[in-house]
Amino acid sequence: MKKLLTLAILWASVGHFALSQNLDEYLVRAAENNPELKAYYNEYLAATEIGNQVSLPNPELQVGFYFRPMERFMGNQQADIRLMQMFPWFGMLKAQESEADQMALARYQLFLDAKNNLFFQVKTTWYALAELEQEIRITEENLEILRKYERMALIRFENSSSSAEGPSSTPMAPSSSSSVSAGSAGMNTMGNQTQGMSSQANSSAMTSPAAMGSTGPGMTDVLRIRLQINTLDNELDLLNANKIPLQVELNKLMNSPREAQLSNPEPLLPFVMNLEKQAILDSISANNPMLAMYDAELLALESQKQMAKLDGRPMLGAGVNYMPFQPRIEDGMSMGGKDMIMPMVTVTLPIYRKKTTAKIKETELRQEAVQFNKENTLNQLEIEWAKAFRDLEDANRKVRLYEQQLDLANQNLSLLLTAYATSGQDFEEVLRAQQLILDYEFSKIGAITRQYTSLAMLDMLSATGIQPYSK
């Protein structure tokens, strides 16, 4: 059964867009092992067996024996055996087979809809994990930057408070972090000044301000940095904790142990797509499994309506009556004893039309109900289609916005770092600029994740497979 399910999944997933080998692997594992999906597939297989149950009514065999032979002119009758086969009106069996096939097709469409929903859950969970991984990476990079800021502020404070040396400006060494890449130019201009610092200065940079026994104005910069470091450390712990429920969810969607090892998601890259809204909507109307299920139910009800009409027609029966006789002695002569075979024909008389009329009316009302359900489902799908496109377009705009904001914020940080290196002032503005970059990085990652989630929603609704491509 697992092989049949896998073949059905692969056939039903033609056109699915691939983002990574790991995601494709998890989709296949979820399709093969998810209990809910297996239940839907078994219900479909059970429905296919209904068509095999369509057949003629079972023949009827009646056998009667006489305890005392019945005396007749033909002899003594010992038994009466009748065999009868009833036949429904012409077209009834075909209508029953059609109804069973359409109901099985409706079950298969339910299975496909469950498969699409399962794939959507796997994708969104995977994207959420990828978003968390990128947020953790950026947070760790920003923590490293803040620690460099801390060392820079401590060195500046130590130099400014030393009686042996005059005021000096000691800038921070350049950072390789992507979040301040645009500001690296200003930092590189100061890099040569820090190369000559002794190891004693580096070790004193980590000295506690309390141990140094000073409360000079420069220590406020160090304390501000440490406040942000503590905050980021706490946020990093929270991000790592948030991975656990997502990993459990993904494993359970694949029916795997909750502690099963998962591959690290690849970073999500922004993509550009030119999607025709009307084309996607037309694809939803043509390919969505729920709409196809209602179409199959309508055809099944049409067959039921035909069956109700044919049920009001007579049923024909053909059979044979066999009567064995035993010879009887009368006046010393053998009388009779020849068995008799009598062909028989039976016809039912459907004179009670109220039952037939009610069945036809019931089927017509059910057809109207299914039609209304299909119309309502199409309306809901259009609403989801509009929301998904709105979210996708909004995410596209946000990605462009945050990319522009990051460029400007990095330029601003570079200028602030240069100003602080020369004057030692506005360090609080440097920290604010660094936090602003972190916020924009997080917002950009969230917008990219919404791009993929919205695209996954459109793919689930249209059931066609939409291939994104990166910038």
Side-chain angles (χ1 to χ4, degrees):
M1 197 279 288
K2 183 176 180 180
K3 183 177 180 181
L4 290 175
L5 177 59
T6 303
L7 292 175
I9 289 293
L10 294 176
W11 178 84
S13 304
V14 173
H16 159 68
F17 66 87
L19 297 178
S20 71
Q21 183 177 359
N22 290 331
L23 178 54
D24 284 342
E25 177 186 349
Y26 293 151
L27 289 173
V28 173
R29 286 170 57 183
E32 292 179 346
N33 302 319
N34 185 266
E36 183 182 17
L37 197 61
K38 286 184 177 181
Y40 276 103
Y41 190 69
N42 277 344
E43 289 178 359
Y44 158 67
L45 292 179
T48 59
E49 297 298 326
I50 298 177
N52 298 329
Q53 302 173 23
V54 176
S55 64
L56 292 172
N58 291 325
E60 297 181 3
L61 176 63
Q62 297 180 1
V63 179
F65 294 94
Y66 297 101
F67 290 105
R68 295 180 60 184
M70 180 179 290
E71 295 183 358
R72 296 198 176 192
F73 180 77
M74 299 294 297
N76 294 333
Q77 184 177 355
Q78 296 176 313
D80 190 356
I81 302 174
R82 296 183 182 183
L83 179 64
M84 179 65 64
Q85 174 66 63
M86 299 299 297
F87 297 93
W89 195 258
F90 306 102
M92 174 63 80
L93 294 180
K94 184 177 181 181
Q96 290 176 348
E97 290 177 355
S98 176
E99 189 264 349
D101 291 342
Q102 294 303 324
M103 291 305 296
L105 179 58
R107 283 291 182 182
Y108 184 71
Q109 297 301 329
L110 279 177
F111 159 72
L112 292 183
D113 184 68
K115 182 267 299 182
N116 291 339
N117 280 281
L118 175 62
F119 280 10
F120 177 74
Q121 293 180 59
V122 173
K123 292 174 193 175
T124 53
T125 306
W126 180 259
Y127 299 152
L129 276 173
E131 180 181 5
L132 270 179
E133 288 289 347
Q134 290 179 275
E135 290 178 348
I136 290 172
R137 175 184 57 80
I138 292 175
T139 302
E140 291 174 343
E141 290 177 356
N142 277 270
L143 274 172
E144 183 62 29
I145 292 172
L146 288 179
R147 291 189 178 100
K148 291 180 180 179
Y149 286 176
E150 182 187 20
R151 290 192 294 270
M152 180 181 69
L154 283 170
I155 292 172
R156 172 176 289 279
F157 169 74
E158 184 181 87
N159 291 338
S160 64
S161 61
S162 175
S163 59
E165 297 179 7
S168 62
S169 58
T170 308
M172 175 187 144
S175 170
S176 61
S177 172
S178 61
S179 63
V180 292
S181 59
S184 60
M187 297 173 66
N188 287 334
T189 60
M190 304 177 287
N192 295 329
Q193 300 179 29
T194 61
Q195 291 177 358
M197 289 186 175
S198 64
S199 59
Q200 179 182 2
N202 288 331
S203 60
S204 65
M206 303 307 296
T207 306
S208 169
M212 295 172 64
S214 175
T215 58
M219 283 310 300
T220 59
D221 296 339
V222 177
L223 295 177
R224 289 192 189 101
I225 296 173
R226 291 182 176 177
L227 286 172
Q228 286 202 10
I229 288 177
N230 291 338
T231 301
L232 273 187
D233 276 330
N234 182 71
E235 292 179 357
L236 183 61
D237 291 339
L238 177 61
L239 290 174
N240 283 304
N242 287 339
K243 288 175 57 178
I244 297 176
L246 290 174
Q247 290 172 342
V248 171
E249 180 180 358
L250 186 57
N251 276 321
K252 288 306 168 183
L253 288 173
M254 298 183 294
N255 201 27
S256 301
R258 63 177 181 270
E259 301 90 357
Q261 188 67 31
L262 296 172
S263 302
N264 289 328
E266 299 175 0
L268 298 179
L269 302 177
F271 59 85
V272 177
M273 295 191 68
N274 295 320
L275 296 178
E276 293 289 340
K277 288 187 176 182
Q278 189 59 45
I280 296 296
L281 184 58
D282 293 341
S283 178
I284 292 174
S285 301
N287 302 311
N288 187 270
M290 290 303 296
L291 298 179
M293 181 201 70
Y294 288 126
D295 290 336
E297 285 188 355
L298 286 173
L299 292 175
L301 287 171
E302 186 63 32
S303 297
Q304 291 182 12
K305 183 178 179 181
Q306 183 67 18
M307 289 162 54
K309 292 179 179 179
L310 295 175
D311 196 41
R313 303 288 180 87
M315 288 187 66
L316 305 177
V320 63
N321 191 0
Y322 174 68
M323 293 173 286
F325 286 89
Q326 186 179 25
R328 184 176 66 252
I329 305 299
E330 289 187 5
D331 299 331
M333 298 180 60
S334 177
M335 301 291 296
K338 188 175 182 181
D339 297 341
M340 294 187 61
I341 298 177
M342 180 176 64
M344 299 178 61
V345 177
T346 302
V347 178
T348 60
L349 302 177
I351 60 176
Y352 303 108
R353 307 301 301 175
K354 183 177 180 180
K355 176 181 177 181
T356 301
T357 303
K359 282 186 177 180
I360 296 175
K361 184 63 176 178
E362 175 191 359
T363 306
E364 291 175 347
L365 292 174
R366 290 184 181 277
Q367 284 179 313
E368 291 182 8
V370 171
Q371 191 65 47
F372 288 140
N373 284 331
K374 179 183 177 182
E375 184 178 352
N376 178 68
T377 300
L378 181 58
N379 291 338
Q380 296 300 319
L381 290 173
E382 289 189 18
I383 293 174
E384 295 298 327
W385 161 82
K387 289 181 179 179
F389 258 108
R390 177 205 62 192
D391 294 342
L392 179 60
E393 293 171 349
D394 179 66
N396 292 338
R397 288 192 299 268
K398 292 290 180 61
V399 169
R400 292 193 297 268
L401 171 65
Y402 293 136
E403 287 177 344
Q404 296 171 1
Q405 297 294 78
L406 278 171
D407 289 339
L408 296 175
N410 280 311
Q411 293 177 29
N412 179 51
L413 177 63
S414 178
L415 295 175
L416 289 172
L417 285 172
T418 303
Y420 179 70
T422 55
S423 64
Q425 298 178 354
D426 296 331
F427 191 71
E428 186 175 358
E429 294 299 323
V430 173
L431 295 182
R432 289 178 180 173
Q434 185 65 43
Q435 181 63 40
L436 187 62
I437 289 176
L438 178 62
D439 293 340
Y440 282 143
E441 288 279 5
F442 278 15
S443 298
K444 178 184 174 183
I445 293 172
I448 294 174
T449 303
R450 286 193 295 275
Q451 278 186 315
Y452 283 86
T453 302
S454 302
L455 195 65
M457 172 62 72
L458 290 173
D459 182 57
M460 180 186 70
L461 296 175
S462 61
T464 54
I466 305 174
Q467 175 69 50
Y469 53 93
S470 303
K471 284 186 177 181

